[in-house]
């Protein structure tokens, strides 16, 4: 069921968005060559405790998960692109890291992700991140009343296709509210002017993610981490966005 929020509820969702943005800002600043993924998780966990927030991941145990997630952050490195379970791994020069973080503050969830390179970047990795970011921007621009859900999906697909990337439709965006995953599903490609009519009060996570040379993934032996079928690297960008009468409101915007 798709739920719409009142303007007052959207206001109540701002602190969660701000907190998630602040945690990602801190993680981006901390991520560097020589930093362990477990240190990044510990930093996010400390910020959750300090804020009195609640992790959406710690006890997360969906049907496709092998066991409760047990960490507060997803850290996906190189050929891993989504759901990366933080492990004892020290970041190396040129690693492409995606961090995905969701938490609840005052009973409302926000969800956001960002990709970056630590140390010396490969040109093609910077380009992949830039295209993914541009797809997110195009999708956000389409998140206005009067459009349809398919317009958001199409905006993502257009940017990817123009860059010669193929798109995986298995995992995409989702409604966000009291819990992390609600309706509607927001695919990373679709047909314009089709699907659910976008209305004021719809709050969704929009999250394009692409791999260099494939759209196929497999699950790592850890039961969570999703890796590219051909070993190519991936990027992932996500914001939680409220559709308002004044246009898209990016709740997780980093300043
Ligand atoms: Mg997320």
């Amino acid at each position: 069921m798709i739920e719409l929020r009142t303007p007052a509820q959207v206001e109540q969702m701002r602190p969660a968005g701000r907190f998630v943005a602040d945690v990602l800002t801190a993680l981006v600043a901390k991520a560097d060559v020589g930093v362990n993924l477990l240190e990044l998780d510990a930093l996010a966990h400390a910020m959750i405790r300090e804020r009195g927030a609640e992790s959406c991941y710690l006890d997360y145990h969906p049907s496709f998960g092998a066991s409760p997630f047990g960490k507060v952050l997803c850290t996906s490195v190189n050929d891993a692109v989504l759901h990366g379970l933080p492990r004892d791994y020290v970041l190396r020069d040129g690693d492409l890291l995606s961090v995905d973080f969701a938490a609840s503050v005052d009973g409302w969830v926000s969800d956001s992700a960002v990709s970056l390179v630590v140390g010396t970047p490969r040109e093609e990795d910077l380009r992949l991140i830039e295209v993914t970011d541009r797809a997110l921007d195009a999708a956000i621009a389409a998140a206005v009343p009067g459009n349809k859900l398919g317009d958001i999906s199409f905006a993502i697909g257009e940017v990817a296709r123009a860059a010669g990337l193929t798109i995986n439709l298995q995992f995409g965006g989702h409604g966000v509210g009291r819990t992390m995953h609600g309706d509607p599903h927001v695919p990373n490609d679709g047909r314009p002017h089709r699907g659910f009519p976008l209305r004021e009060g719809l709050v969704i996570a929009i999250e394009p993610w692409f791999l260099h040379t494939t759209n196929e993934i497999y699950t790592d032996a850890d039961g969570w981490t999703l890796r590219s079928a051909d070993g190519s690297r991936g990027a992932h960008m996500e914001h939680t966005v409220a559709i308002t009468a004044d246009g898209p409101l990016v709740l997780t915007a980093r300043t």
Side-chain angles (χ1 to χ4, degrees):
M1 190 182 74
I2 295 175
E3 292 177 89
L4 300 177
R5 314 297 170 186
T6 65
Q9 287 176 319
V10 170
E11 283 303 308
Q12 290 167 18
M13 297 178 83
R14 282 183 188 266
R18 205 169 302 133
F19 172 68
V20 167
D22 287 348
V23 171
L24 282 184
T25 299
L27 291 166
V28 168
K30 168 104 177 160
D32 206 348
V33 177
V35 172
N36 195 305
L37 297 180
L38 297 177
E39 292 176 70
L40 296 178
D41 185 69
L43 171 61
H45 211 158
M47 290 182 77
I48 284 174
R49 284 194 207 94
E50 193 185 338
R51 181 64 176 79
E54 234 176 276
S55 169
C56 298
Y57 292 173
L58 202 54
D59 301 319
Y60 188 58
H61 192 184
S63 54
F64 61 82
S67 56
F69 193 70
K71 303 289 184 200
V72 302
L73 187 68
C74 290
T75 53
S76 304
V77 180
N78 296 339
D79 66 313
V81 64
L82 295 176
H83 305 169
L85 183 64
R87 64 196 166 97
D88 184 8
Y89 174 82
V90 175
L91 289 168
R92 295 174 196 170
D93 189 43
D95 276 350
L96 199 176
L97 169 70
S98 301
V99 287
D100 190 350
F101 180 72
S104 172
V105 174
D106 304 334
W108 294 102
V109 169
S110 246
D111 189 357
S112 186
V114 63
S115 291
L116 59 111
V117 178
V118 297
T120 319
R122 299 181 187 181
E123 193 55 46
E124 75 242 35
D125 289 346
L126 292 183
R127 180 182 159 272
L128 186 68
I129 291 170
E130 187 271 323
V131 168
T132 312
D133 204 27
R134 197 144 40 79
L136 177 56
D137 284 346
I140 291 169
V144 293
N147 267 357
K148 302 268 176 74
L149 195 63
D151 292 307
I152 293 176
S153 300
F154 178 70
I156 295 170
E158 279 284 274
V159 171
R161 270 188 297 279
L165 300 170
T166 56
I167 301 151
N168 175 300
L169 293 176
Q170 204 179 341
F171 293 95
H174 47 88
V176 175
R178 295 289 186 183
T179 58
M180 178 167 57
H181 288 138
D183 291 330
H185 175 60
V186 185
N188 283 335
D189 196 13
R191 296 163 73 188
H193 320 307
R194 299 294 174 100
F196 183 77
L198 302 180
R199 295 197 185 100
E200 189 183 342
L202 181 67
V203 182
I204 50 175
I206 303 175
E207 48 178 319
W209 61 275
F210 307 122
L211 301 161
H212 275 302
T213 51
T214 183
N215 58 17
E216 288 180 37
I217 49 175
Y218 72 95
T219 307
D220 183 277
D222 67 15
W224 285 99
T225 306
L226 298 178
R227 297 184 182 279
S228 71
D230 66 357
S232 67
R233 293 176 166 202
H236 178 208
M237 293 284 184
E238 175 179 22
H239 274 309
T240 295
V241 180
I243 291 163
T244 79
D246 303 323
L249 171 63
V250 181
L251 291 164
T252 49
R254 294 183 296 279
T255 46

